[in-house]
Amino acid sequence: VPDITSLRISAAYLPATAVAGDFYEFIPVDRRRIGFLVADVSGHGVAAALIAAMIKVAMQSLVSCAQEPGEVLRGLNRILAGQLRGQLISAAYLWLDTEQGHASYSAAGHPPLLCWRQGRLDRIESNGLLIGVILEPEYPVCEFSLNLGDRFLLYTDGVVEPENAAGESFGDSRLEEVIRRNQSQPPLELSNQMMAEIRRWQPA
C-alpha cells in the first residue's frame, strides 16, 4: 500500500448562489496516516459558513485522536454543541493507515461512504446522531482492511438532492452509476464527470 504522499485526492463543489456550509478537511499525521473530514451545516448563508469555519478550528484541537473516528466526532460535538444556535451538522470521518493496511470510518447523520474495490461498489454506513442534537452522543465505528486500488468517495447530500424540472432528485442510484462508468478514471476526472452529470440533471 502506498504512503499518503502518493494518494490521489480530489474535491469538488456544486455551484451555489449563496455562501454554503459544506466543508472538508485533511488531517495528515505522517506519511502513512491521514484523516478526512466532510461536514454539512444545516442552512445556508453567513451563519452556516461561520460554523464551517468553527469546525476547521475545532479540528486542530482533535489531531491527537485523529486515528479514532468516533472520538473525532464526539470531540466536534462537545466543542460545537453550545455554539450552533439551533443549527445541526452532518459529518463523516475516514481514517486511513496505509502502513497497517487499515481503515476506519464513522459518521454523524451523513450519507454513506462509497468504496470501490475489485470491481464492486459498497456503501459503508456507520451513523450516529447529527452533531448538536445531544451532549454525549455515541458514534459507531466501522473498521475494514485497506487494499491497493481501493477508492473512496465522501460527499454531502448536496450531490444527491439536486432536482430536475420534474422535481425528481438526482439520487443515490445515479451517483453510483456515474462512479461505475468512470471507475478507471483519475479522481479529478471522476469528480468532473460527476459534477457535469448533476448540472445536466438540473434545469437550466
Side-chain angles (χ1 to χ4, degrees), residues 111-112 114 123 155 160 169-177 180:
L114 297 182
R123 296 162 59 90
Y155 61 99
V160 295
S169 297
F170 187 76
D172 297 323
S173 60
R174 289 181 182 84
L175 172 61
E176 292 175 13
E177 180 56 31
R180 290 188 176 93

Side-chain angles (χ1 to χ4, degrees), residues 53-70:
M54 290 163 56
I55 297 172
K56 183 177 183 67
V57 173
M59 282 300 297
Q60 301 311 307
S61 68
L62 298 170
V63 172
S64 63
C65 61
Q67 74 279 9
E68 301 177 72

Side-chain angles (χ1 to χ4, degrees), residues 13 59 66 102 146 180 190:
Y13 277 97
M59 282 300 297
H102 174 265
L146 181 62
R180 290 188 176 93
L190 170 60

